[in-house]
Amino acid sequence: MIEFKNVSFDYGDDENKINALKDISLTIEDGEFVAILGHNGSGKSTLARLINGLLAPSRGEVSVDGISTVDSSAVWRIRQQVGMVFQNPDNQIIASRVEEDVAFGPENLGCEPAEIRARVDEALAVVGMRELAHFDPHLLSGGQKQRVAIAGALAMKPKYLVFDEATSMLDPKGREEIVATTRRLNSDYGITVIFITHIPEEAALAGRVVVLSGGTIAMDGTPQAVFADVDALADLGVGVPKARLLARGLEQAGIDIPDSILTVDDLVAALC
Amino acid sequence: MEMANVTFEYLPGTPLAHTALTDINLTISEGDFIALVGPTGSGKSTLIQHLNGLLTPTSGSLSFRGRRVGVDVSPLELRREIGLIFQFPESQLFEHTVADDIGFGLRRQGLTGPEVASRVENALLQVGLDYAHYAQRSPFSLSGGEQRLVAIAGVLAMRPRFLVLDEPTSGLDARGKAAIFDCLDRLNSDGVAILMVTHSMDEVAESARRIIVLNEGKIVLDDKPERIFAHASFLRGIGLDIPKAAELVYKLREKGFEIELDSVSVRSVVDSVAAAVKERCAN
Ligand SMILES: Nc1ncnc2c1ncn2[C@@H]1O[C@H](COP(=O)(O)OP(=O)(O)O)[C@@H](O)[C@H]1O
Ligand SMILES: Nc1ncnc2c1ncn2[C@@H]1O[C@H](COP(=O)(O)OP(=O)(O)O)[C@@H](O)[C@H]1O
Ligand SMILES: [Mg+2]
Ligand SMILES: [Mg+2]
C-alpha cells in the first residue's frame, strides 16, 4: 500500500517557493491500476518522485507498505519496491546491449550472476523482448526502448511501477505496446501500476482515475465517474475520451445515452 | 510549393545508403491546411526538411512560386518564406527573456529596436500569449506548453506565409494542444498555409482539410479527410488509426444505419448520427 498523509511539497528556497503539492492525502491499495491526469505543472511528476523517495515531502508523510520514504534505513528497499519509467526512452538507456541494460539494476543490488541471468531473461520475456536481448538498444523503436526500460524496472522485482508520461513520445503503435504491457503486468503479475498520462483513452483503461490540478486532488474515482463531467474536466485542463465527447454531443442532440460511455464500441451498443 | 519526382537517399554510395523518399509529387497551395501522416520511419521528417531547403533531393526538383529551388531561389530565401518548426522546439530556447528569444532571428536578419519589438509583440499575440505577462520572463520559468508556444512565436516573428510543423502537439496536455490548434486555425484563416506532421488522427479530423499519407517513402493517399478514412482497413494495415468519429460512423453502418459522412469532425459526425438515429426510431 502507498499512502500520502497530508503531503505538501515545495521547490526552491524561502524567497522563491513553488508549492507544487498542497496537503495531498491519497491511498493506493496493492493491485490497483491508477491513472493520474492533470494539466502541465499540476504536480504529477512531483507526486511520482515522492513515491519512491527521490523527493522527500516538505510536510506530511509518504509511506510504502507502512514505511516512511524518509526512513534512511529503508531507502534502498523502497527504490527496489517502486520502479519508475520516465518519458524519454533515450535518456533511460545506458548499455549497448539490451540484456546488459536490464541487468544493471540487479547487478547494483548485488545479485549472484545466475540470479541476474534469470531475472533478465524473465523480465525480457514478460515485455516480449527476449529475441532482441543481444540488440543494441539505440537501434530499437521508441516503443521497444520503453519496453526495455520497463524490463529494467521489472528486474528489480518491484511491487509497484510508476509510469511518468511513458507513452507521450511514442507513436500510436508504441503507445499500444506499452499500454498492453502495463495492463498485463497488473492483471497477470499483480503489480500495482500508477500511470501518469495526458491521453484520456489510456486513463479510461485504468480501474481508478485521479485528476490533479494546481497541486491538489480535484477528482478521484472510476473512469466512468470522472469522465462523466466533460465541462468540469475542461476547466481543469484535462480532455476526455473522444467517444465520451461523441456520446455527449448525441445526448445534447436529444438522444438518450448514459454518461458512462468511454469507447466507440460501447457507444455503438447503446445506439443499436 | 511544388515537389516533382523527388527521391531522396541518405548516405548515397555507402553500404548504409537508404532511400527515404521515392518519387514524391506534391503541390501545396496558399491557404492549405494539410496533415502529413504515416508510420514511424515512413519519411515524414525527411520530406518536410526538403520544404525549406534543409535537404536537397537526390533526384527530382522543388519549386516555390514557379521558381526552381536551388536555381532561382536560394535555400536562405526559402527559409524566410517557409517557417519550419521541429519536434520539441522548446529544447532550442536559450535567451534570458521570452522577448529576446522570439526576437533572435529578427535581429540576425538585421532588424532593430522598434521593428523587432512590434514583431515580437505581434508573434506573442498570434500564439495567444499576453505580451505584458510573458515578454520579460525567462523561458525556463514557463510550462512545457507555454515554452512550445514561445518557440513557435519565434518562427512566426519571421512572418512566414507557409508554416511546417513536425508533431507540434506531442507531449502536451489538453490545454496546450488546444492552444496550438487555436493558433494554427487563426494563422490559416489569415491565409498562412499549414502542413503539420502528426500521429493523432483525432486531431487531424478536427482541423486538416487535406491529408497526405506516407508509407515506406511513398505517397499512398492524398485526399480530403472524409475520403481518406474510407480506407480504414488499409490504414490500420500500415499501423495508423482512424478518428473515433469516423470509426463510429463505419461501425453504425455495419449495423444497418444509413449515415452520410461529409466531414469527420466530432460536431458534424454528431449531427449526422443524431439524424440517422432519429430517422430509424421514427420508422
Ligand atoms: N526542479 C524544479 N524546480 C522548481 N520548480 C519545479 C521543479 N520541478 C517542478 N517544478 C514546479 O512544480 C510544479 C509541479 O511540477 P510537476 O510536478 O513537474 O508537474 P507535472 O508533472 O504535472 O507537469 C510546477 O509549477 C513546476 O513548474
Ligand atoms: N540522418 C539519417 N541517416 C540515415 N538514415 C536516416 C536518417 N534520418 C532518417 N533516416 C531513415 O530514413 C527513413 C525515414 O525517416 P524519417 O524521415 O525520420 O521518418 P518519419 O519522420 O516518418 O519517422 C527511416 O528509415 C530512417 O531510419
Ligand atoms: Mg511531469
Ligand atoms: Mg519524424
Side-chain angles (χ1 to χ4, degrees):
Chain A
M1 183 170 83
I2 293 169
E3 209 171 359
F4 281 65
K5 275 191 225 142
N6 304 103
V7 172
S8 296
F9 185 86
D10 306 327
Y11 288 101
D13 49 30
D14 284 342
E15 271 163 47
N16 292 306
K17 195 148 61 179
I18 294 168
N19 191 200
L21 289 181
K22 300 166 187 164
D23 198 23
I24 296 253
S25 292
L26 175 72
T27 302
I28 295 172
E29 302 287 349
D30 289 357
E32 276 197 276
F33 192 124
V34 184
I36 300 187
L37 288 170
H39 60 81
N40 270 320
S42 59
K44 303 180 298 296
S45 295
T46 305
L47 184 120
R49 289 176 158 79
L50 281 160
I51 296 177
N52 79 341
L54 280 173
L55 296 175
S58 305
R59 289 170 295 289
E61 187 187 62
V62 180
S63 63
V64 176
D65 295 334
I67 301 168
S68 163
T69 55
V70 295
D71 180 340
S72 55
S73 64
V75 167
W76 288 109
R77 195 175 142 63
I78 287 173
R79 295 271 160 92
Q80 175 267 314
Q81 292 267 307
V82 184
M84 302 273 284
V85 181
F86 296 101
Q87 181 176 52
N88 190 336
D90 295 312
N91 294 346
Q92 299 178 67
I93 286 172
I94 345 168
S96 59
R97 272 153 77 100
V98 165
E99 57 188 358
E100 285 164 19
D101 207 84
V102 178
F104 195 74
E107 273 166 11
N108 274 359
L109 283 180
C111 294
E112 297 296 321
E115 168 75 8
I116 294 173
R117 182 79 255 164
R119 284 187 180 209
V120 169
D121 287 347
E122 189 189 349
L124 284 173
V126 170
V127 301
M129 291 286 295
R130 231 180 136 168
E131 286 84 67
L132 300 177
H134 305 294
F135 259 61
D136 179 347
H138 301 95
L139 300 177
L140 302 176
S141 73
Q144 290 170 328
K145 283 180 193 165
Q146 282 299 60
R147 283 192 281 157
V148 173
I150 296 174
L154 285 178
M156 305 289 279
K157 301 220 180 253
K159 249 179 94 175
Y160 308 93
L161 276 181
V162 182
F163 295 81
D164 192 355
E165 293 189 37
T167 59
S168 78
M169 294 178 75
L170 305 179
D171 64 6
K173 190 159 161 283
R175 276 209 295 273
E176 229 174 82
E177 285 170 25
I178 298 313
V179 170
T181 305
T182 49
R183 295 184 80 189
R184 235 165 0 89
L185 291 174
N186 179 251
S187 61
D188 300 357
Y189 297 84
I191 292 176
T192 306
V193 173
I194 294 114
F195 199 85
I196 299 173
T197 180
H198 282 312
I199 299 170
E201 276 80 5
E202 291 178 357
L205 299 170
R208 173 181 174 192
V209 178
V210 173
V211 183
L212 290 185
S213 177
T216 63
I217 294 178
M219 292 190 193
D220 182 353
T222 62
Q224 288 75 13
V226 165
F227 289 123
D229 197 342
V230 177
D231 295 323
L233 284 167
D235 287 342
L236 299 171
V238 171
V240 301
K242 266 282 163 3
R244 172 76 193 102
L245 272 191
L246 288 160
R248 196 186 56 151
L250 290 167
E251 195 188 319
Q252 287 170 341
I255 291 166
D256 194 22
I257 292 180
D259 63 11
S260 59
I261 279 178
L262 300 177
T263 67
V264 170
D265 287 335
D266 290 348
L267 186 50
V268 170
L271 288 171
C272 293
Chain B
M1 165 67 74
E2 208 177 329
M3 296 179 85
N5 309 107
V6 168
T7 292
F8 181 80
E9 201 179 349
Y10 282 107
L11 308 169
T14 74
L16 295 172
H18 177 78
T19 304
L21 294 176
T22 306
D23 199 24
I24 301 291
N25 289 289
L26 182 62
T27 305
I28 298 160
S29 311
E30 308 261 319
D32 261 348
F33 197 134
I34 303 174
L36 177 64
V37 303
T40 298
S42 59
K44 303 181 296 294
S45 297
T46 306
L47 192 155
I48 65 174
Q49 289 177 68
H50 280 77
L51 295 175
N52 82 339
L54 277 179
L55 294 177
T56 44
T58 308
S59 66
S61 63
L62 278 90
S63 50
F64 185 65
R65 298 204 170 117
R67 296 152 74 210
R68 279 279 298 266
V69 174
V71 181
D72 312 315
V73 46
S74 71
L76 208 67
E77 273 177 88
L78 201 60
R79 253 162 254 169
R80 249 175 235 160
E81 307 256 10
I82 300 176
L84 176 58
I85 293 164
F86 289 105
Q87 251 187 299
F88 304 106
E90 59 278 16
S91 63
Q92 314 280 326
L93 297 173
F94 68 101
E95 290 275 9
H96 291 299
T97 68
V98 165
D100 284 349
D101 220 299
I102 298 173
F104 178 77
L106 298 173
R107 284 191 302 277
R108 233 178 37 168
Q109 276 188 15
L111 298 181
T112 52
E115 173 70 8
V116 171
S118 88
R119 284 213 195 185
V120 167
E121 186 167 353
N122 200 260
L124 274 171
L125 193 70
Q126 284 180 304
V127 296
L129 295 178
D130 178 44
Y131 182 85
H133 187 247
Y134 286 97
Q136 297 313 318
R137 286 176 67 182
S138 158
F140 307 103
S141 71
L142 306 178
S143 76
E146 291 166 337
Q147 288 183 358
R148 179 89 44 101
L149 290 170
V150 168
I152 293 175
V155 172
L156 293 181
M158 316 287 278
R159 301 204 172 143
R161 295 302 298 160
F162 178 17
L163 196 61
V164 180
L165 308 100
D166 200 349
E167 298 190 37
T169 60
S170 84
L172 294 186
D173 61 3
R175 211 173 268 166
K177 285 186 176 145
I180 299 275
F181 275 104
D182 286 348
C183 166
L184 295 183
D185 286 339
R186 260 196 317 269
L187 288 166
N188 187 242
S189 48
D190 290 340
V192 176
I194 311 272
L195 183 144
M196 65 179 281
V197 172
T198 178
H199 283 307
S200 168
M201 294 302 185
D202 285 317
E203 287 181 357
V204 165
E206 296 304 315
S207 54
R209 286 191 299 277
R210 174 178 167 195
I211 297 177
I212 297 173
V213 184
L214 268 185
N215 189 38
E216 297 178 350
K218 299 192 184 88
I219 294 180
V220 288
L221 292 168
D222 179 354
D223 212 332
K224 290 187 191 154
E226 60 275 18
R227 292 231 283 265
I228 293 278
F229 295 118
H231 303 270
S233 59
F234 169 76
L235 293 170
R236 290 212 181 87
I238 61 172
L240 299 177
D241 289 335
I242 66 165
K244 299 286 182 302
E247 188 185 334
L248 175 66
V249 170
Y250 297 135
K251 286 190 167 157
L252 287 173
R253 280 183 184 163
E254 280 169 22
K255 302 268 179 193
F257 283 85
E258 281 172 34
I259 305 171
E260 293 300 317
L261 184 63
D262 16 78
S263 150
V264 284
S265 71
V266 166
R267 180 181 298 177
S268 104
V269 164
V270 162
D271 290 345
S272 323
V273 170
V277 170
K278 282 177 187 160
E279 163 112 14
R280 173 121 125 183
C281 291
N283 294 336

